[in-house]
Amino acid sequence: MHTGAWVAWVTLVTVVALATTNPLYLAVLLLCILLVATLAPRAATGVASFRVMALFGSSMLAVSIVVATINGSYGDHILFTIPGPEMPEWLGGLRFGGPVSAEGFAAAGIRGLAILCIFLAFGVFSGAVSPYRVLRITPGALYYASLVLTVGLTLLPSSIEDLRRIREVRALRGARSGLRELPSLVVPAVINGLERSMQLAEAMEARGYAVSRAPGRSARFAAAASAPLLLASAWLWFYNSSGKPAGALCAAAGLAALAWWFWKARRSHAATTFTAEELPRSQVVTIVASGVVVVMIAVARAAGFSTLGYNPFAGLQMPGFTLAEAGLVATVAWPAVLLLRRPALASPPDAPVATAFAEGAP
C-alpha cells in the first residue's frame, strides 16, 4: 500500500477512537485493527514494535482501571468502598479511595480501550511503513517537523533491536536474566541510541543537509497570527452566542494565514525526488473515502444525533447499537481488502527446470 493510504488509515482510526465512547463500537474498531494487523506486512523489527505497542496499550488500559479504583468514583451502582484520606475543598477536594462504582469502572475501561486502539494502529503503521517513506511524501512546509517525527518513529525499532542484541550477548556470556539485570540492558541501549543520534547529526551537519532559506517576514507573521485567530474563533463560536459571525470571520482569517505560511514555506524548501511512489487509483478512492468518514463521524458526534457517544453515569444503561453506525466504524478495515488483493509472490521454478540448470543443460 502507498504511504499516503497508511497515513489516511491511521488518521481515520485515531478520529474514530477519540470520537467514540460507545464500548460496542470500540470493540468493532478493535477487531478491525486486529484484522488489518494480521494482514499487514511487517519486518522483524515491525513485529517487535507491534508487540511493544500492544503491551503498552494494554498497560494503559490496566492503569486507567487502577486509577479509577484508587481515586474512587460516583454512581448509583456502588461495588465496594476503599478507605482513604480526603483533602478539604479549599485544597481542591482531592481524595484517595472512597466508593467505587460500576459506572467508574465502565468509564475507565472505555478510555483505556480507545487508547489501546490508537496504540495498536500506530504499531501497525510503524511496522508496515518505513519512516523514510513518510518523510518522502511530506510537503516542504512540514519537512523539519516530519524529520523530527521520522527520528521518533525510528527510535522504538532501533531501541528494541539494541535490547535484543545486548540480551543475546549477555546470554552467550552466561549472564543472569531478571528484573535486577534490567539496568544492565537499558543503559547500553540508551548509550547506543545517543551515539547513533550524534553520528547522524554530525554527518548531516558535515554535508549541509536540509539547508534552505527561511520564509519571508510576511509568512512568519501569518504563522504567528494564525494561532490567536483560531483560538478567538473557537471562543466566539462556542462561548458567545452573539459572536458566531465574528468567530467565523476569525476562523477564515486564521485558515487564510495558515495557507499563506504553508505556501511560502513550501516554496522556500527545495527537494529533489529521484523516484516517485506511485499512488494507485483504488487507493486514491480509499483516501478520499477515509476523509469523508472522518467528516461524517465528526459531524454526527458534534450534532449528537448518533449513538457513538455513551455516558455510563446516566444509569449505566445498555449502549446503543445500530448496523449503520457499526458499518461506518467498520470502514476502518478497508486496508484488509487491499491487502487481500495483493499479487502472490512468484512461485519457485519447477523441479525439471531447476534440475536441468543444476546439471548444466542449456
Side-chain angles (χ1 to χ4, degrees), residues 21-280:
T21 56
N22 191 319
L24 300 180
Y25 294 144
L26 287 176
V28 174
L29 177 63
L30 180 61
L31 292 176
C32 293
I33 295 173
L34 293 178
L35 175 61
V36 176
T38 304
L39 300 174
R42 290 188 301 271
T45 56
V47 174
S49 300
F50 181 78
R51 291 176 180 174
V52 171
M53 297 296 280
L55 180 61
F56 193 73
S58 303
S59 63
M60 292 298 293
L61 174 61
V63 167
S64 178
I65 296 177
V66 170
V67 170
T69 304
I70 295 176
N71 292 338
S73 55
Y74 300 96
D76 299 331
H77 302 80
I78 303 299
L79 300 178
F80 52 88
T81 301
I82 298 178
E86 183 175 356
M87 299 296 180
E89 292 295 336
W90 58 275
L91 286 178
L94 180 66
R95 69 174 185 178
F96 295 96
V100 179
S101 64
E103 291 85 349
F105 274 132
I110 290 172
R111 290 193 299 267
L113 189 59
I115 294 174
L116 176 62
C117 291
I118 294 175
F119 273 106
L120 289 179
F122 275 93
V124 176
F125 176 77
S126 63
V129 180
S130 171
Y132 305 104
R133 292 173 58 191
V134 181
L135 185 62
R136 286 174 57 187
I137 67 169
T138 304
L142 305 176
Y143 187 80
Y144 296 104
S146 62
L147 184 62
V148 176
L149 179 61
T150 301
V151 174
L153 289 176
T154 56
L155 178 63
L156 181 61
S158 59
S159 300
I160 293 174
E161 185 66 22
D162 288 341
L163 287 174
R164 184 188 63 81
R165 190 182 301 110
I166 295 170
R167 187 176 180 182
E168 290 178 354
V169 170
R170 288 177 52 84
L172 290 174
R173 294 176 178 177
R176 294 179 299 177
S177 60
L179 293 178
R180 294 182 178 179
E181 306 298 327
L182 188 61
S184 60
L185 292 174
V186 175
V187 172
V190 173
I191 293 176
N192 289 338
L194 291 176
E195 290 180 353
R196 187 167 52 248
S197 301
M198 290 298 297
Q199 292 174 1
L200 177 61
E202 291 174 357
M204 292 172 64
E205 184 178 1
R207 291 170 172 84
Y209 186 76
V211 175
S212 60
R213 58 186 179 88
R217 184 179 301 176
S218 60
R220 295 196 298 269
F221 177 77
S226 61
L229 284 173
L230 292 176
L231 289 176
S233 67
W235 181 81
L236 290 171
W237 184 270
F238 291 106
Y239 298 102
N240 192 345
S241 58
S242 61
K244 289 189 174 182
L249 290 177
C250 289
L255 293 177
L258 274 180
W260 173 254
W261 166 82
F262 187 87
W263 183 70
K264 296 292 288 186
R266 183 179 63 85
R267 288 174 59 90
S268 64
H269 178 79
T272 302
T273 302
F274 295 100
T275 56
E277 188 175 359
E278 183 181 358
L279 181 60

Side-chain angles (χ1 to χ4, degrees), residues 288-329:
V288 174
S290 298
V292 172
V293 173
V294 166
V295 173
M296 291 176 61
I297 288 177
V299 171
R301 188 71 173 88
F305 55 80
S306 66
T307 57
L308 295 175
Y310 173 71
N311 185 13
F313 293 96
L316 200 64
Q317 301 177 359
M318 182 66 185
F321 187 85
T322 61
L323 292 179
E325 293 180 348
L328 189 64
V329 175

